[in-house]
């Protein structure tokens, strides 16, 4: 079995497997549908996967209060962010190189997002051109955002922005926490190598990265890899180059969140890159309440990293998020059943969230707040963090 994008342990199915009972079941089945090195790369983060584990454990530390005699028959999961309305708070995260999971890659994810009216955030490092992703998403009017990585050459960054605008993307999401990325030890031990036919399609016509030349005594990291890392000046420049709303992804510290808000960004994604950036960073969920407190009750916040269920989504909303982005589950479902699998995974998450809301007595997202949760092992409802408005309406 070779390490190519088309080699899979088992061909993706054209129907939903009968033993899928919840969204997280796709994680279990994905191991049968992806070659081992690909699976280990997707499942792993970086280093020893300390932050990957922390993301999952953070959700387990919270319990949800069931509430009695609440009428939720007029319930819904609609929300508005900026000027955009969404039917539910389940977005598709910008996952790179999706052909590692399925030959159709991002095309099938876009089809699923369109069918489920989920916002898809398309990655700079997509294995399919942004124009091709947009062509699929535009058929049903599904909202689409473009995730941007700053390029070493400013003209190349500007090219990506202009292409996103011209293709109908409505938001630019710039990721700022991944200047250095390395495969996890588990992926390295599985022998993962990026297949030659899995490339960043959006960057094919861009300037090839220059070889790093170091002077004696210079660091390969500080003076080498970090030479092209973006700074605050780069973000200021970016915001002058487009009229689209600019969101920032990769925020964990409240001081950074406050500075970004003051700069005028449209929203923030609280994220540790799924544990793929700094191994040992706090769980995104753990960082969320302090960031919500820093930016106030109505500033748009999204969260990713570690979500596996509708109850996880509920907990994220209760602690300050307005919506969430799904990363690894997206890849797992894609590997099992292509577009159908991703659409089914979104449907399951939405239904799991609705069940959780109903039993917790919350008819709308706006009613989900910190008072709905209790820290495991305690009996009192904390009021450490202010309520927030999830509706933005």
């Amino acid at each position: 079995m070779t390490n190519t994008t088309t080699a899979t342990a088992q061909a993706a199915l054209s129907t939903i497997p009968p033993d899928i009972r919840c969204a997280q079941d796709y994680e279990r089945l994905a191991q049968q549908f992806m070659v081992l090195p690909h699976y280990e790369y997707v499942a792993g983060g970086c280093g020893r996967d300390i932050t990957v584990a922390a993301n999952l454990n953070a959700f387990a530390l919270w319990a949800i209060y069931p509430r009695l005699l609440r009428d939720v028959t007029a319930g819904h999961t609609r929300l508005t962010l900026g000027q955009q309305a969404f039917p539910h708070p389940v977005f598709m995260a910008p996952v790179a190189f999706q052909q590692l999971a399925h030959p159709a890659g991002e095309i099938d994810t876009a089809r699923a997002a369109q069918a489920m009216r989920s916002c898809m955030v398309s990655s700079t490092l997509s294995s399919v051109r942004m124009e091709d992703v947009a062509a699929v998403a535009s058929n049903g009017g599904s909202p689409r955002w473009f995730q941007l990585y700053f390029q070493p050459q400013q003209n190349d960054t500007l090219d990506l922005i202009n292409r996103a605008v011209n293709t109908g993307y409505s938001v630019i999401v710039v990721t700022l926490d991944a200047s250095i990325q390395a495969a996890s030890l588990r992926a390295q031990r599985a022998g993962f190598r990026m297949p030659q036919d899995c490339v960043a399609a959006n960057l094919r016509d861009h300037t090839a990265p220059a070889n790093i030349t170091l002077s004696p005594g210079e660091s390969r990291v500080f003076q080498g890899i970090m030479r092209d890392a973006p700074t605050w000046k780069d973000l200021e420049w970016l915001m002058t180059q487009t009229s689209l709303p600019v969101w920032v992804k990769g925020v964990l510290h409240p001081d950074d969140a406050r500075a970004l808000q003051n700069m005028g960004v449209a929203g923030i994604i609280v994220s540790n890159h799924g544990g793929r950036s700094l191994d040992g960073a706090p769980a995104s969920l753990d960082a969320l309440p302090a960031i919500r407190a820093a930016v106030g009750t109505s500033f748009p916040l999204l969260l990713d990293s570690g979500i596996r269920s509708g109850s996880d989504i509920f907990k994220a909303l209760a602690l300050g998020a307005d919506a969430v982005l799904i990363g690894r589950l997206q890849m797992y479902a894609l590997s099992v059943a292509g577009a159908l699998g991703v659409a089914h995974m979104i449907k399951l998450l939405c239904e799991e969230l609705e069940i959780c809301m109903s039993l917790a007595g919350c008819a709308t997202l706006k009613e989900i707040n910190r008072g709905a949760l209790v820290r495991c092992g305690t009996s009192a409802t904390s009021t450490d963090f202010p309520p927030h408005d999830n509706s933005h309406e």
Side-chain angles (χ1 to χ4, degrees), residues 65-143:
Y65 278 119
R67 301 303 300 271
L68 307 180
L69 306 176
R70 301 295 180 92
D71 182 2
V72 297
T73 54
H76 63 81
T77 59
R78 296 188 295 272
L79 72 152
T80 300
L81 294 173
Q83 302 300 313
Q84 291 187 302
F86 304 91
H88 57 74
V90 182
F91 293 14
M92 296 296 96
V95 181
F97 302 118
Q98 293 190 23
Q99 286 183 348
L100 291 173
H102 189 281
E106 291 80 359
I107 294 297
D108 267 15
T109 299
R111 288 173 177 151
Q114 173 201 338
M116 297 305 299
R117 299 171 62 202
S118 176
C119 178
M120 177 180 178
V121 186
S122 183
S123 173
T124 289
L125 300 181
S126 168
S127 46
V128 176
R129 295 187 321 135
M130 71 170 84
E131 290 83 359
D132 298 326
V133 173
V136 173
S138 63
N139 290 338
S142 177

Side-chain angles (χ1 to χ4, degrees), residues 56-305:
L56 298 173
N57 294 336
F59 288 96
L61 296 177
W62 293 97
I64 302 169
Y65 278 119
R67 301 303 300 271
L68 307 180
L69 306 176
R70 301 295 180 92
D71 182 2
V72 297
T73 54
H76 63 81
T77 59
R78 296 188 295 272
L79 72 152
T80 300
L81 294 173
Q83 302 300 313
Q84 291 187 302
F86 304 91
H88 57 74
V90 182
F91 293 14
M92 296 296 96
V95 181
F97 302 118
Q98 293 190 23
Q99 286 183 348
L100 291 173
H102 189 281
E106 291 80 359
I107 294 297
D108 267 15
T109 299
R111 288 173 177 151
Q114 173 201 338
M116 297 305 299
R117 299 171 62 202
S118 176
C119 178
M120 177 180 178
V121 186
S122 183
S123 173
T124 289
L125 300 181
S126 168
S127 46
V128 176
R129 295 187 321 135
M130 71 170 84
E131 290 83 359
D132 298 326
V133 173
V136 173
S138 63
N139 290 338
S142 177
R144 55 192 184 278
W145 296 3
F146 179 71
Q147 177 268 336
L148 174 73
Y149 283 117
F150 277 101
Q151 300 301 298
Q153 300 297 319
Q154 195 173 78
N155 285 341
D156 289 336
T157 301
L158 189 57
D159 173 66
L160 290 171
I161 298 169
N162 290 336
R163 286 170 59 192
V165 172
N166 294 335
T167 316
Y169 289 87
S170 57
V171 168
I172 299 294
V173 178
V174 57
T175 297
L176 297 178
D177 67 332
S179 298
I180 299 178
Q181 283 187 269
S184 66
L185 292 174
R186 66 185 288 182
Q188 295 178 48
R189 288 165 181 155
F192 176 78
R193 298 290 186 274
M194 188 64 69
Q196 291 183 354
D197 56 343
C198 189
V199 300
N202 289 318
L203 306 181
R204 281 192 177 121
D205 298 328
H206 285 192
T207 307
N211 293 327
I212 298 175
T213 302
L214 298 175
S215 300
E218 288 189 324
S219 162
R220 185 176 69 91
V221 175
F222 292 129
Q223 288 79 43
I225 298 172
M226 293 299 290
R227 181 178 299 171
D228 296 321
T231 66
W232 287 97
K233 289 184 178 179
D234 293 301
L235 182 59
E236 291 172 355
W237 168 83
L238 169 64
M239 295 182 65
T240 67
Q241 300 304 306
T242 178
S243 59
L244 292 183
V246 174
W247 285 60
V248 170
K249 181 176 183 291
V251 183
L252 290 176
H253 198 290
D255 289 351
D256 288 338
R258 194 177 295 110
L260 291 165
Q261 182 185 31
N262 292 337
M263 182 182 285
V265 302
I268 285 171
I269 300 176
V270 180
S271 169
N272 56 37
H273 217 83
R276 304 184 79 90
S277 180
L278 173 61
D279 196 28
S284 296
L285 190 73
D286 288 343
L288 176 60
I291 290 178
R292 171 54 72 193
V295 299
T297 59
S298 60
F299 187 76
L301 289 183
L302 306 187
L303 176 132
D304 71 22
S305 305

Side-chain angles (χ1 to χ4, degrees), residues 35-57:
V35 292
L36 179 63
H38 293 190
Y39 177 83
E40 292 296 290
Y41 174 76
V42 171
C46 64
R48 293 175 292 157
D49 290 339
I50 294 172
T51 301
V52 172
N55 283 331
L56 298 173
N57 294 336

Side-chain angles (χ1 to χ4, degrees), residues 304-353:
D304 71 22
S305 305
I307 291 172
R308 296 293 186 272
S309 67
S311 63
D312 289 345
I313 297 171
F314 184 96
K315 293 171 185 179
L317 300 182
L319 291 173
D322 298 298
V324 300
L325 297 109
I326 307 300
R328 286 183 176 89
L329 276 186
Q330 176 189 154
M331 289 285 275
Y332 297 145
L334 181 66
S335 73
V336 173
L340 182 62
V342 177
H344 184 235
M345 179 272 296
I346 297 170
K347 179 176 183 289
L348 288 174
L349 286 176
C350 288
E351 289 183 349
E352 291 170 14
L353 172 61

